Amino acid sequence: MIYSILDKGDDVSRALAARFREQADRLGLKSDDETPELVVSIGGDGTMLQAFHRFRDQLDTVSFVGVHTGHLGFYADWQKDELEELVRLIAEAKPRIVQYPLVQAEIEQPDGKTVHLALNEFTLKSVDGTLVAGVYINGELFEMFRGDGVVISTPTGSTAYNKSVGGAILHPSLEAMQIAEIASINNRVYRTLGSSIVLPKHHCCEIRTEENEPLIFSIDHLVMQVDHVRTIRFRVAEQKISFARFRPFPFWNRVRESFIN
């Protein structure tokens, strides 16, 4: 197994990465930061997001596994005191590969189109305050949105920002995306649905704003300003992310451990 390690950058995760490499060398594992088969994320869910975006052009050939240095994360199967067991299993066992859906955003501007992938979510907000945008589903106007913004999340990302704004939690086996409102304006003049909606893979959501309105657009942990946007099209991506499972850890157990226990 050829691996690469991405750590959080603090003292704890650096020390764990050094221990991992030491044991991996003894067991004959090879390290390659350019074209690995397995990417080991040591830190938290934010570290896994960084790993995903670093290797997003190799999703067909790479899988991911996470070691959490704090509390259990949604993208981490292993705790820091289980590191040696994980390295041994990587060297000796064949993992079960589990694939989760991603969401794709295509931004159309006067000078062309750009395509982005998100593991957790995209968010869209106005630089100037209230976002005013038409929300289209499969080419037909669904609503005129007014509020702080919208979140378009993957099933795994449904437990992140989406949940904090009242969205539902989706099981990652569902090939779907969720659209949730951030502080929408609802009164006698302006109305929105007021709840999140879940779209299947064969549906497309378009968000259209005034071209001269600058927007704050985030892709997971990455934030940028985009100008002169005509349309942003969201759909479930054809690509998926692969996770290497060396032991079972059901999704609903993760939800219970994170939010209830």
Side-chain angles (χ1 to χ4, degrees):
M1 179 72 76
I2 302 173
Y3 72 91
S4 176
I5 293 180
L6 184 67
D7 64 67
K8 185 179 180 180
D10 60 358
D11 292 342
V12 172
S13 61
R14 286 197 187 103
L16 288 171
R19 280 170 49 193
F20 185 103
R21 292 188 182 95
E22 181 180 351
Q23 183 176 353
D25 287 344
R26 291 199 305 266
L27 295 176
L29 295 174
K30 296 182 179 179
S31 174
D32 184 342
D33 292 332
E34 299 300 323
T35 56
E37 299 171 280
L38 180 70
V39 174
V40 182
S41 165
I42 300 179
D45 286 343
T47 312
M48 181 62 78
L49 293 175
Q50 293 178 31
F52 164 74
H53 284 280
R54 177 174 173 179
F55 292 97
R56 64 177 181 173
D57 294 331
Q58 301 178 46
L59 294 179
D60 291 339
T61 58
V62 71
S63 57
F64 297 81
V65 65
V67 178
H68 213 291
T69 56
H71 298 291
L72 184 67
F74 275 92
Y75 296 120
D77 291 352
W78 299 85
Q79 297 283 7
K80 57 186 179 182
D81 58 354
E82 301 174 314
L83 187 74
E84 282 71 20
E85 181 184 357
L86 172 60
V87 182
R88 180 184 61 80
L89 289 173
I90 292 173
E92 298 176 359
K94 183 177 181 180
R96 182 171 69 95
I97 302 299
V98 177
Q99 292 189 314
Y100 288 169
L102 305 170
V103 174
Q104 171 185 304
E106 180 183 271
I107 303 177
E108 181 180 334
Q109 295 169 286
D111 57 350
K113 300 177 182 178
T114 55
V115 178
H116 306 273
L117 289 177
L119 175 56
N120 263 6
E121 75 274 308
F122 295 104
T123 65
L124 187 65
K125 300 179 181 179
S126 172
V127 170
D128 299 325
T130 301
L131 174 68
V132 180
V135 179
Y136 291 75
I137 297 177
N138 296 337
E140 294 188 7
L141 179 64
F142 180 75
E143 66 178 16
M144 283 300 300
F145 174 84
R146 289 174 174 82
D148 284 0
V150 291
V151 181
I152 297 91
S153 62
T154 67
T156 46
S158 68
T159 60
Y161 197 174
N162 168 80
K163 181 180 181 298
S164 72
V165 297
I169 293 178
L170 302 184
H171 192 278
S173 63
L174 299 174
E175 293 193 80
M177 64 180 178
Q178 185 168 183
I179 304 166
E181 302 175 355
I182 307 172
S184 58
I185 297 173
N186 281 287
N187 52 36
R188 288 182 296 175
V189 179
Y190 303 122
R191 299 296 300 172
T192 67
L193 183 64
S195 66
S196 65
I197 57 176
V198 178
L199 298 182
K201 184 175 182 178
H202 61 284
H203 283 200
C204 174
C205 171
E206 295 182 8
I207 296 181
R208 304 176 188 175
T209 63
E210 295 292 333
E211 271 193 48
N212 59 354
E213 181 180 3
L215 303 171
I216 299 298
F217 185 67
S218 69
I219 312 165
D220 294 329
H221 61 298
L222 307 171
V223 181
M224 66 183 75
Q225 179 174 322
V226 290
D227 300 313
H228 308 294
V229 174
R230 291 175 174 169
T231 301
I232 305 180
R233 296 180 182 88
F234 299 95
R235 65 176 67 248
V236 178
E238 292 299 326
Q239 303 100 312
K240 292 184 177 182
I241 184 172
S242 297
F243 289 100
R245 298 282 189 244
F246 293 92
R247 63 181 179 185
F249 201 157
F251 176 74
W252 296 117
N253 287 8
R254 298 171 190 264
V255 174
R256 184 182 66 243
E257 292 291 332
S258 296
F259 298 116
I260 299 175
N261 283 356

